[in-house]
Amino acid sequence: MEETGPKLVFLCNPNNPTGEYLGKKRVVEILDICNKLDALLVIDEAYVDLSRKKWYSDDLIRDGNLIIVRSLTKSFSCAGIRIGYLIAARGIIKALEAVKIPWNVNVLAQKVAITLLGEIAYLKQGVELVEAEKAYLSGEFKRLSLKPIRSDANYILLDLNGRNASALNEKLLERGIYLRDCTSFGLPEFVRIGVRRHDDNVELVEALRDVLK
């Protein structure tokens, strides 16, 4: 960063598609560099609520040019609502308000968001479910000679061990299953798999076992 001198740095934490979650020490190091460069750091924490390693990043707001972006729809499984929020210093918020579109959040989304804020117990259950199912899926993938990448998020980046992701998806589509092809990330032999309920995960494993024969 010091060589290129960016005006804005975008950090996805946990990372997409790897699921790697940087700890506070590393993020502070990045923020310090951004402050020296007078660059704005935007941290996308869309998947952070479903990580067992989550740490409290809000305190960093007072330490520099920082915006933290989070998504309620990822955390509470209501993607169609499209609601999230950001945290930043007052000066940054004021600048954003000057350029944001009017009526950018509809009334239904606002009502849902207020309700979701009272469902922390549900969120904690989700974290435990994700951890248990990640362990199950990782074990099954290894038995199929695939290579799951350790993830701190609610998805797993899966190395197909030399197989083409698009070709695999074509076979799985015949069974009503579609995986996130990671070719657009420059990883044509990887897929990203969202952790679902156990029955869904069992169905996926069985389908993979069939198509990989």
Side-chain angles (χ1 to χ4, degrees):
M1 288 194 297
E2 293 173 331
E3 293 180 0
T4 57
K7 293 299 181 182
L8 184 145
V9 176
F10 199 91
L11 174 65
C12 189
N13 198 34
N15 179 266
N16 180 22
T18 67
E20 180 182 6
Y21 184 46
L22 298 182
K24 186 172 185 177
K25 180 179 179 181
R26 184 68 181 114
V27 172
V28 168
E29 290 174 352
I30 296 171
L31 179 58
D32 286 343
I33 294 173
C34 288
N35 286 335
K36 291 177 182 177
L37 298 174
D38 195 26
L40 179 64
L41 175 61
V42 179
I43 304 179
D44 180 352
E45 293 188 343
Y47 298 99
V48 74
D49 285 334
L50 292 172
S51 174
R52 181 175 281 178
K53 292 185 176 181
K54 178 182 177 181
W55 52 273
Y56 193 72
S57 59
D58 301 41
D59 288 344
L60 299 181
I61 291 297
R62 63 173 179 264
D63 294 330
N65 296 329
L66 175 63
I67 295 176
I68 299 171
V69 182
R70 296 186 184 134
S71 169
L72 292 176
T73 55
K74 297 284 196 306
S75 305
F76 292 95
S77 302
C78 52
I81 297 298
R82 310 300 294 175
I83 186 72
Y85 63 97
L86 66 81
I87 306 169
R90 291 183 182 275
I92 295 175
I93 295 292
K94 186 175 181 180
L96 291 173
E97 287 179 337
V99 296
K100 76 177 180 68
I101 61 173
W103 316 111
N104 59 320
V105 180
N106 64 68
V107 173
L108 175 60
Q110 292 178 41
K111 294 289 187 181
V112 171
I114 292 171
T115 300
L116 292 179
L117 292 176
E119 297 294 334
I120 302 303
Y122 171 85
L123 191 57
K124 291 180 179 179
Q125 292 174 2
V127 172
E128 296 305 315
L129 172 66
V130 166
E131 288 300 314
E133 291 304 312
K134 274 197 301 187
Y136 164 75
L137 285 171
S138 294
E140 293 298 321
F141 293 153
K142 290 175 183 177
R143 292 185 182 91
L144 295 173
S145 298
L146 303 175
K147 302 174 183 177
I149 308 302
R150 192 190 67 79
S151 170
D152 297 316
N154 59 317
Y155 47 84
I156 298 172
L157 181 64
L158 185 62
D159 183 343
L160 299 176
N161 202 12
R163 299 176 179 86
N164 181 268
S166 297
L168 176 65
N169 256 339
E170 288 182 9
K171 295 178 181 179
L172 289 174
L173 274 173
E174 297 174 1
R175 293 165 170 77
I177 296 173
Y178 183 80
L179 304 180
R180 176 61 164 88
D181 181 345
C182 289
T183 300
S184 61
F185 292 102
L187 301 169
E189 297 177 352
F190 288 75
V191 291
R192 191 193 69 195
I193 296 174
V195 177
R196 297 173 62 91
R197 295 175 301 181
H198 186 68
D199 290 348
D200 295 330
N201 295 331
V202 170
E203 182 180 354
L204 169 62
V205 170
E206 292 177 349
L208 283 171
R209 186 175 291 115
D210 287 341
V211 301
L212 294 176
K213 287 180 180 178

